[in-house]
Amino acid sequence: MPHTRSKTPSSYISGWGMSVPEKIITNQHFSSYLETTNDWIMERTGIKERRFAEVGVGTSEFAASSADLAIVRAGLSKDQIDGVIVATITPDYSFPSVACLVQEKLQLKKGFAFDLGAACGGFVYALTVADSMIAKGIAKNILVIGVDLMSKVTDQNDRSTAILFGDGGGAVVLSATTPETGDRGILSSAIYADGDHSDILGAYCGTKNPYTQENIAKGEHYLKMNGREVFKIAVRTLTESSLESLNKASLTINDLDWVIAHQANQRILTAVAEKLAIDQDKMLSNVERYGNTSAGSIPILLSESIDQGVVKQDDIVILTGVGGGMTWGAVTVRI
Ligand code: UT7
């Protein structure tokens, strides 16, 4: 169901942070053992390099470190955090949740913690949930984290997917607005899913198709994707939900400063900017450096863009994601 907010925002982004592994994997890494080239990868995806987490390092590491930064930037103490929502499809364990591991790592002693699984659309979903909880008075400050270690679920011998994905995450603190924050905050949201497309992008091991030795030997646990189909749906849904969220915020394309879309492929970003009829410069991108980090991509780009002084206070930004499920959505925010 779409979700609409009134014109006075309930919550705003009070802090932000990002965290990626140190290890850089260049396109040459893949061309050294797969039938692929740097030219093909650059031309078809715009990706030059991505980060891979080391063996034995879990998703919660990057969730916690980006969250720590976000809490500091928000100027809050840890006991002011009322809850943690982590958008991820690559948790450390089946359970407990990454959110609970973040609570433990940062010693957040109160409130709720849960993970939300909406694949690459997850961060926009999580923001929408957190904003609604703040609007309802359930919480004042919520850590909203988007993080995935996609290298851990990707078949590194499948050239059609191995080259695309990377690891990392980002976080924001969403806080209740005050008279001082004025018009800043989450202005509107539109989130959707279409389970009829559940067969074109996923990692199909679980209760129905267990992690048996046989299934693992066949690579059943790895991500599978029909790239061409996903590409078409991504361009359509990112465009439609962006326009819908803008419209719900009673804004037009002319009011827009930036679009921060899920970083899957530079060609998708270019196509969406064309369809929205915005200047390509307004479609921010760092896919060249991080590849597709799934739920991590939007908060990583948002954090980087604020840190670099590109996105500034009071700018109107659309955050829009799409992923396996298929899930998609957009949030319009005044920073
Ligand atoms: O995060 C969730 C959202 N995910 C996405 O949005 C991903 C969306 N999809 C895409 O970004 C693109 O579809 C891909 C980058 C995955 C693929 O690009 P494409 O232009 O759609 O290529 P294609 O799948 O149509 O494949 C074209 C050719 C094929 O060969 P044939 O059948 O034409 O002989 C592939 O086998 O390119 C081949 N190919 C490669 N060649 C060199 C596929 N991967 C590679 C590779 N290197 N790494």
Side-chain angles (χ1 to χ4, degrees):
M1 278 294 289
H3 163 87
T4 321
R5 292 236 36 77
S6 65
K7 277 181 203 158
T8 309
S10 301
S11 71
Y12 76 108
I13 294 173
S14 60
W16 60 92
M18 61 165 279
S19 174
V20 294
E22 277 176 22
K23 194 205 271 180
I24 295 174
I25 306 290
T26 63
N27 291 344
Q28 284 71 26
H29 164 80
F30 296 104
S31 58
S32 73
Y33 73 98
L34 290 173
E35 230 178 278
T36 190
T37 60
N38 177 50
D39 286 351
W40 192 95
I41 302 171
M42 281 298 290
E43 203 174 291
R44 298 296 180 109
T45 71
I47 300 166
K48 210 185 229 172
E49 59 190 43
R50 69 292 285 147
R51 306 294 180 100
F52 278 10
E54 301 291 344
V55 174
V57 174
T59 306
S60 61
E61 291 290 330
F62 303 95
S65 48
S66 58
D68 210 9
L69 283 171
I71 296 171
V72 171
R73 292 228 173 84
L76 295 173
S77 61
K78 287 177 179 167
D79 61 5
Q80 289 175 289
I81 300 297
D82 302 312
V84 185
I85 305 177
V86 180
T88 188
I89 46 163
T90 53
D92 295 39
Y93 314 117
S94 296
F95 67 94
S97 65
V98 175
C100 284
L101 301 178
V102 169
Q103 255 197 335
E104 185 268 330
K105 281 187 196 311
L106 298 186
Q107 287 296 289
L108 305 172
K109 295 289 190 189
K110 66 171 202 182
F112 59 85
F114 64 92
D115 288 1
L116 182 158
C120 309
F123 187 71
V124 167
Y125 268 55
L127 269 186
T128 304
V129 171
D131 176 52
S132 310
M133 293 180 83
I134 291 172
K136 195 88 180 132
I138 296 168
K140 277 203 169 115
N141 299 298
I142 303 179
L143 262 175
V144 183
I145 304 168
V147 59
D148 273 306
L149 302 189
M150 296 305 286
S151 71
K152 312 264 185 188
V153 296
T154 306
D155 182 352
Q156 297 301 326
N157 288 311
D158 173 7
R159 70 174 183 176
S160 69
T161 53
I163 54 131
L164 298 172
F165 294 96
D167 300 343
V172 298
V173 177
L174 212 59
S175 297
T177 49
T178 65
E180 289 73 47
T181 57
D183 294 339
R184 294 173 62 201
I186 306 281
L187 304 177
S188 68
S189 173
I191 55 171
Y192 293 98
D194 183 352
D196 282 351
H197 297 303
S198 57
D199 58 344
I200 61 171
L201 176 54
Y204 300 94
C205 257
T207 51
K208 183 176 163 76
N209 192 31
Y211 289 89
T212 58
Q213 275 184 348
E214 199 190 350
N215 274 338
I216 289 171
K218 283 194 291 182
E220 290 274 297
H221 57 308
Y222 286 133
L223 176 149
K224 309 277 185 309
M225 177 169 74
N226 177 339
R228 280 185 208 180
E229 275 307 302
V230 173
F231 190 108
K232 281 188 273 183
I233 294 172
V235 172
R236 177 173 57 78
T237 56
L238 292 170
T239 307
E240 285 175 2
S241 56
S242 293
L243 288 174
E244 185 183 336
S245 76
L246 206 54
N247 190 34
K248 281 181 172 179
S250 305
L251 297 172
T252 71
I253 282 291
N254 296 331
D255 299 310
L256 186 61
D257 292 299
W258 312 105
V259 179
I260 295 183
H262 171 50
Q263 303 287 293
N265 186 325
Q266 186 56 47
R267 284 162 49 219
I268 294 178
L269 301 176
T270 304
V272 173
E274 272 168 22
K275 284 190 181 295
L276 290 175
I278 57 165
D279 194 348
Q280 289 289 345
D281 292 350
K282 290 190 172 184
M283 177 63 74
L284 298 178
S285 174
N286 61 8
V287 71
E288 182 180 273
R289 284 178 292 120
Y290 301 120
N292 180 345
T293 55
S294 183
S297 81
I298 293 173
I300 289 174
L301 181 54
L302 175 65
S303 289
E304 258 197 4
S305 304
I306 298 176
D307 283 341
Q308 290 166 353
V310 175
V311 171
K312 299 182 207 61
Q313 192 169 310
D314 287 316
D315 283 356
I316 299 286
V317 183
I318 291 176
L319 309 174
T320 181
V322 57
M326 302 287 290
T327 65
W328 66 92
V331 164
T332 298
V333 57
R334 188 187 295 274
I335 299 294

